[in-house]
Amino acid sequence: MELASVQTIRHLSQKYGFSFSRDLGQNFLVDSRIPEAIAEGAGVEGKCVLEIGPGIGSLTVCLAARAKKLCALELDRSLLPILDETLSPFQNASVVWGDVLKTDLSALVSEKFGSGEKLCAVSNLPYCVTTPAILRLVGSGLFESVTVMIQKEAAKKLLCDPGGEDWCLFSALVRSRAGVKKLFSVSKGCFYPQPKVDSTVLRLELLPEKSREETEVFEKTAKAIFGQRRKNVKNTLSLLPGLTPEKAELLLISAGIDPKRRGESLSVEEISSISTLMVQRIQKDR
């Protein structure tokens, strides 16, 4: 059965009483080349895979054909009987009902894959949950890579250079945890129902984990900087507990950063330099 086709989607929808939900941002692929290319680009051969939002399973079957084991997390209960049919040939695949923003991912991974496995996450994410879902996946510490298909405008935020109009807190938080690579673009005409914008497939390669303290301080620093992104960084940092404008200026000079620069111009490496000095300061004051 060719799952990435309008005819199949309509047939299965009628058979199982499924209706598309605008609130869930459901748009299914109708070009069989795309799920094959995503599965290939995700590099899941012989690995364990958590897929978020399988839909009727057009990408899922391509992943299951390559993966050691696959678990698909689906929020829409009405899709579960469809997935039971479309994934029936794959003994290595299972489906769990749940919300990626609320599910205990660590417990799910432990239950489905055990420990010591190489894990990948793959998803065709709806726009409404793109930011929180990606931050949750890359921040979980569970995966070696996260491959996502997201709307083109959201992808720009992860591919842009510091200081550009798309550079934002989301950009800095993700790029502090992962290297971002564009795999390919996907036209809106490859989906049913057809969305209003094109999409982009990205592969995020997770970087070595930092300590919890380093991560927390980086995030607090980045949130302060981008909270008032057009102000000079000395003033934005001075809003953090224990940092007066004078102390913030000395901190920035120590990091080799001009205190008068706008916060939005700082790179991940520069924010990391600031947060590293802040961690050292915190540890010294203990």
Side-chain angles (χ1 to χ4, degrees):
M1 182 188 297
E2 176 52 67
L3 298 181
S5 75
V6 175
Q7 293 76 14
T8 301
I9 293 171
R10 287 175 174 169
H11 166 71
L12 292 172
S13 297
Q14 183 176 16
K15 181 177 180 180
Y16 291 101
F18 167 75
S19 297
F20 284 91
S21 168
R22 181 175 297 180
D23 290 342
L24 296 180
Q26 291 172 327
N27 304 95
F28 298 163
L29 287 165
V30 290
D31 183 335
S32 60
R33 297 171 299 176
I34 304 303
E36 285 287 347
I38 294 174
E40 187 66 26
V44 301
E45 297 285 348
K47 300 175 183 177
C48 292
V49 180
L50 177 66
E51 184 191 9
I52 310 300
I56 66 167
S58 60
L59 172 57
T60 319
V61 298
C62 297
L63 294 170
R66 294 167 169 81
K68 177 180 179 181
K69 197 172 183 180
L70 178 140
C71 175
L73 184 64
E74 176 55 57
L75 178 59
D76 190 342
R77 288 184 185 272
S78 66
L79 284 168
L80 300 187
I82 296 178
L83 288 164
D84 281 344
E85 176 178 335
T86 58
L87 296 182
S88 59
F90 298 93
Q91 298 302 309
N92 63 334
S94 62
V95 181
V96 174
W97 175 81
D99 184 341
V100 65
L101 302 182
K102 299 177 181 178
T103 299
D104 185 336
L105 297 180
S106 182
L108 177 61
V109 164
S110 178
E111 176 189 347
K112 292 297 180 178
F113 306 127
S115 59
E117 296 288 353
K118 292 184 177 180
L119 304 177
C120 302
V122 183
S123 182
N124 171 15
L125 286 172
Y127 183 72
C128 57
V129 298
T130 293
T131 297
I134 289 179
L135 288 174
R136 190 144 202 262
L137 291 171
V138 301
S140 68
L142 297 171
F143 308 103
E144 63 176 32
S145 69
V146 176
T147 301
V148 289
M149 179 161 58
I150 57 179
Q151 289 194 0
K152 181 180 178 180
E153 293 305 311
K156 286 182 179 180
K157 295 179 180 180
L158 298 182
L159 294 167
C160 64
D161 294 324
E165 62 179 356
D166 293 309
W167 185 248
C168 61
L169 177 62
F170 177 51
S171 316
L173 292 180
V174 174
R175 296 261 287 271
S176 71
R177 291 181 175 273
V180 182
K181 178 183 179 182
K182 178 181 177 180
L183 297 184
F184 54 90
S185 300
V186 181
S187 167
K188 58 187 177 184
C190 295
F191 296 91
Y192 175 82
Q194 183 172 305
K196 296 180 180 179
V197 297
D198 295 332
S199 296
T200 302
V201 180
L202 303 176
R203 178 167 168 173
L204 314 180
E205 291 287 343
L206 277 294
L207 300 172
E209 279 195 82
K210 297 180 181 178
S211 70
R212 172 179 283 186
E213 184 173 45
E214 288 175 314
T215 299
E216 289 178 351
V217 172
F218 179 93
E219 291 180 356
K220 288 179 182 178
T221 304
K223 287 176 181 178
I225 289 170
F226 286 99
Q228 300 184 60
R229 54 183 293 155
R230 296 191 182 280
K231 289 191 175 182
N232 70 58
V233 68
K234 181 184 77 172
N235 289 340
T236 56
L237 286 183
S238 65
L239 299 176
L240 291 170
L243 278 184
T244 62
E246 292 76 19
K247 289 181 179 179
E249 182 170 4
L250 290 173
L251 188 72
L252 289 164
I253 292 172
S254 297
I257 296 168
D258 183 350
K260 294 182 180 180
R261 280 178 59 185
R262 287 185 174 184
E264 64 185 358
S265 72
L266 298 185
S267 66
V268 168
E269 292 74 21
E270 289 172 320
I271 300 172
S272 293
S273 296
I274 296 168
S275 61
T276 296
L277 290 173
M278 291 180 67
V279 170
Q280 292 173 358
R281 179 175 174 271
I282 292 168
Q283 293 174 344
K284 183 178 179 181
D285 291 342
R286 282 176 182 162

